[in-house]
């Protein structure tokens, strides 16, 4: 007997990685409609263009702040990717009472009161699963209970879903009823990032454009690291390292044993560009004062990276090809399909949208769990509110013992 078709819609999809994971889990099925708010139209446009241009989708795309009376029909599931800066450790606006968190509340209020799906789910920063994010989780839970839903917080990392980046995140699931869902655990071997970077370019691909067209070999810190390893090419250096390597940190902390004077001397003798010498001198000044220093910058990719966010797309080095990344390679790292395009005449202007995303493979696993919730195939907890870790298997019943700390999950 064929299984009943599951219908779904989205609210605030942003660039669309979570939705593409749903496509994958549902064998290509598209949303019934997409809801959003005008502040997110610039981010949403990539996914909406993909639906319209590549998939010939005819569904509604509606801004609720312009059409608050839109009659959204019932669907089995609704998903969201509200901005995470309110809880992200990388954001200066991060706090449980950040105004940015209102989008999680507004979307939940609208969906649970008006659409009443079997499951409403979304993705946000890992802090949502910790005591620092507990006030936000409690507010979502309260909205859920007022509408007859239970809630599960699910901490996971994309490397556990087979991806080449750690990328810790929290998913939240609000399901109808008085028992919160207990999700499966996932432990797939992560794909090394070089398997992605070795893929050939697509002929005439508009996304085959360098994010950073500098020559990585101009970097004085990379030159110093390569010299210390006795290597002359990026490929040779790549074979020497064991993992993704931030060359500033390696030059200062590893090769020179926190003696930046040695690095400065080498750079001067080898006539590297002045900006690298000045940076090394700045690091020396910090260390001389007993302070730390900013170690981000050019990174030779290998194995599993921490997360594809912030400046990484602009400073990540593809050692196999002796250059920085292309936009297509950045999309592939997030597992976006090769027919997906950034909807901007200048794709470089929107590269950071690729980072503000849910990797497709991770989303597909979560969407498969939602399908099991809808079909009544999932295990249920004897609680309306739980917190679950895919990393260590721990489950906290939050109605009774809300005491897990950030160290439990990171």
């Amino acid at each position: 007997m064929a299984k009943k078709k599951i219908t779904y819609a989205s609210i605030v999809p942003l660039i669309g990685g979570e939705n593409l994971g749903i496509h994958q889990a549902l064998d290509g099925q598209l949303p019934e409609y997409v809801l959003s708010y005008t502040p997110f139209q610039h981010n949403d446009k990539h996914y909406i263009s993909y639906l319209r241009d590549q998939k010939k989708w005819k569904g509604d795309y509606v801004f609720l702040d312009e059409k608050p009376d839109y009659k959204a029909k019932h669907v089995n599931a609704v998903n969201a990717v509200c901005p995470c800066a309110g809880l992200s450790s990388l954001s200066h606006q991060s706090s449980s009472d950040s105004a940015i968190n209102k989008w999680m509340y507004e979307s939940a209020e609208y969906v649970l009161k008006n659409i009443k799906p079997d499951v409403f789910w979304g993705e946000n920063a890992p802090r949502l699963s910790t005591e620092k994010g507990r006030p936000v989780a409690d507010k979502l839970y309260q909205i859920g209970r007022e509408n007859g839903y239970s809630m599960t917080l699910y901490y996971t990392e994309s490397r556990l879903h087979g991806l080449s980046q750690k990328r810790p995140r929290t998913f939240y699931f609000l399901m109808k009823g008085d028992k919160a869902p207990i999700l499966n655990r996932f432990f797939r071997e992560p794909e090394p990032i070089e398997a992605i970077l070795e893929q050939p370019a697509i002929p005439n691909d508009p996304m085959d454009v360098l994010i950073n067209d500098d020559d990585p070999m101009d970097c004085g810190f990379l030159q110093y690291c390569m010299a210390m390893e006795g290597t002359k090419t990026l490929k040779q250096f790549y074979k020497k390292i064991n993992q993704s390597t931030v060359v500033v940190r390696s030059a200062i902390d590893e090769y020179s044993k926190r003696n930046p004077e040695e690095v400065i001397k080498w750079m001067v003798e080898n006539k590297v560009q002045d900006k690298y010498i000045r940076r090394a001198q700045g690091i020396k000044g910090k260390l001389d004062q007993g302070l730390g220093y900013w170690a981000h910058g050019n990174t030779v990719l290998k194995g599993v990276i921490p997360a594809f966010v912030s400046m990484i797309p602009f400073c990540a080095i593809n050692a196999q090809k002796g250059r920085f990344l292309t936009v297509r390679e950045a999309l592939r790292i997030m597992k976006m399909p090769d027919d997906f395009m950034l909807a901007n005449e200048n794709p470089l202007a929107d590269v950071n949208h690729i980072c503000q995303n849910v990797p497709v493979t991770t989303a597909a696993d979560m969407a498969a769990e939602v399908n099991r919730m809808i079909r009544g195939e999932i295990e249920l907890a004897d609680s309306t509110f739980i917190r679950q870790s895919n990393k260590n298997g721990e489950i906290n019943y939050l109605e009774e013992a809300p005491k897990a700390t950030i160290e439990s999950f990171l």
Side-chain angles (χ1 to χ4, degrees):
M1 182 177 178
K3 290 185 177 181
K4 177 184 174 183
K5 177 184 175 181
I6 290 173
T7 57
Y8 73 97
S10 301
I11 185 166
V12 192
L14 301 186
I15 191 174
E18 186 170 271
N19 285 64
L20 294 168
I22 301 171
H23 294 194
Q24 186 172 306
L26 293 179
D27 298 322
Q29 186 178 326
L30 302 180
E32 301 297 305
Y33 50 87
V34 175
L35 308 175
S36 195
Y37 303 91
T38 51
F40 304 116
Q41 58 186 314
H42 186 55
N43 301 73
D44 295 345
K45 70 178 184 291
H46 312 289
Y47 177 60
I48 299 302
S49 294
Y50 178 74
L51 286 176
R52 303 286 195 209
D53 298 342
Q54 301 293 337
K55 301 301 181 183
K56 310 306 177 187
W57 181 73
K58 304 296 184 183
D60 290 343
Y61 173 47
V62 176
F63 299 123
L64 292 175
D65 48 342
E66 291 185 343
K67 296 183 178 179
D69 297 327
Y70 176 74
K71 302 299 183 184
K73 70 178 181 179
H74 174 78
V75 290
N76 298 118
V78 179
N79 68 291
V81 190
C82 294
C84 67
L87 288 172
S88 171
S89 61
L90 297 176
S91 171
H92 68 276
Q93 304 175 74
S94 177
S95 72
S96 62
D97 59 358
S98 170
I100 297 171
N101 296 323
K102 75 169 187 174
W103 298 111
M104 279 193 282
Y105 309 144
E106 287 195 17
S107 60
E109 290 269 9
Y110 178 86
V111 169
L112 301 185
K113 288 181 178 178
N114 295 281
I115 303 175
K116 305 182 189 302
D118 301 306
V119 179
F120 173 55
W121 64 289
E123 181 258 20
N124 212 266
R127 280 184 177 172
L128 186 60
S129 285
T130 72
E131 286 307 298
K132 288 186 178 180
R134 182 66 188 271
V136 177
D138 283 347
K139 177 64 174 175
L140 283 174
Y141 171 68
Q142 179 185 357
I143 294 169
R145 292 309 296 152
E146 289 171 354
N147 291 278
Y149 288 75
S150 297
M151 189 167 89
T152 296
L153 297 173
Y154 186 84
Y155 171 86
T156 191
E157 298 169 3
S158 283
R159 67 183 176 89
L160 302 175
H161 301 264
L163 276 82
S164 56
Q165 53 179 311
K166 180 180 178 182
R167 202 177 185 93
R169 304 300 290 170
T170 295
F171 289 84
Y172 56 95
F173 302 88
L174 292 116
M175 191 176 81
K176 276 185 178 177
D178 297 325
K179 292 180 181 290
I182 299 175
L183 283 71
N184 278 328
R185 295 182 67 191
F186 297 88
F187 291 97
R188 297 198 183 92
E189 187 69 26
E191 174 188 35
I193 200 162
E194 47 268 38
I196 297 170
L197 302 182
E198 289 169 350
Q199 293 178 30
I202 302 167
N204 304 313
D205 182 10
M207 300 298 104
D208 187 24
V209 54
L210 286 172
I211 297 172
N212 180 348
D213 62 5
D214 290 346
D215 183 347
M217 290 294 290
D218 288 341
C219 174
F221 292 98
L222 175 59
Q223 292 177 36
Y224 175 79
C225 292
M226 291 175 61
M228 295 303 102
E229 286 288 1
T231 57
K232 295 187 180 299
T233 68
L234 265 171
K235 283 187 177 181
Q236 291 171 347
F237 180 68
Y238 159 83
K239 290 178 181 178
K240 289 278 189 177
I241 60 178
N242 296 319
Q243 59 188 1
S244 291
T245 297
V246 182
V247 295
V248 171
R249 183 182 295 119
S250 288
I252 301 298
D253 291 355
E254 296 174 26
Y255 295 113
S256 76
K257 307 301 182 187
R258 292 182 77 82
N259 180 14
E261 188 64 50
E262 178 183 307
V263 180
I264 295 166
K265 181 174 180 290
W266 186 92
M267 287 183 175
V268 171
E269 289 174 352
N270 287 273
K271 298 181 173 55
V272 306
Q273 293 180 20
D274 285 346
K275 63 180 180 179
Y276 298 108
I277 297 173
R278 290 195 299 270
R279 185 171 179 189
Q281 289 169 336
I283 292 171
K284 179 181 183 302
K286 290 284 190 181
L287 293 179
D288 286 348
Q289 297 175 63
L291 301 173
Y293 66 94
W294 187 68
H296 301 298
N298 290 345
T299 304
V300 180
L301 300 184
K302 186 171 186 175
V304 177
I305 65 175
F308 196 67
V309 295
S310 189
M311 291 302 296
I312 294 243
F314 302 89
C315 63
I317 297 170
N318 183 338
Q320 287 76 6
K321 298 180 180 176
R323 54 166 173 72
F324 290 99
L325 300 182
T326 66
V327 174
R328 176 59 65 201
E329 287 167 343
L331 290 165
R332 284 172 170 173
I333 287 170
M334 298 299 288
K335 291 300 179 181
M336 309 291 271
D338 277 351
D339 61 349
F340 190 94
M341 310 288 171
L342 294 185
N344 192 324
E345 289 185 7
N346 175 18
L348 296 180
D350 289 340
V351 165
N352 198 47
H353 290 179
I354 301 172
C355 305
Q356 301 164 9
N357 199 1
V358 183
V360 174
T361 309
T362 312
D365 284 342
M366 298 296 94
E369 294 299 283
V370 170
N371 295 347
R372 295 202 308 122
M373 294 175 202
I374 294 167
R375 292 184 173 127
E377 299 169 353
I378 202 155
E379 182 182 357
L380 300 175
D382 190 19
S383 171
T384 57
F385 191 12
I386 68 171
R387 175 166 50 196
Q388 181 180 356
S389 170
N390 184 43
K391 182 178 179 181
N392 61 24
E394 184 176 301
I395 296 177
N396 298 126
Y397 289 73
L398 299 185
E399 292 170 302
E400 302 166 3
K403 297 298 183 185
T405 64
I406 192 167
E407 288 79 17
S408 302
F409 297 91
L410 301 183

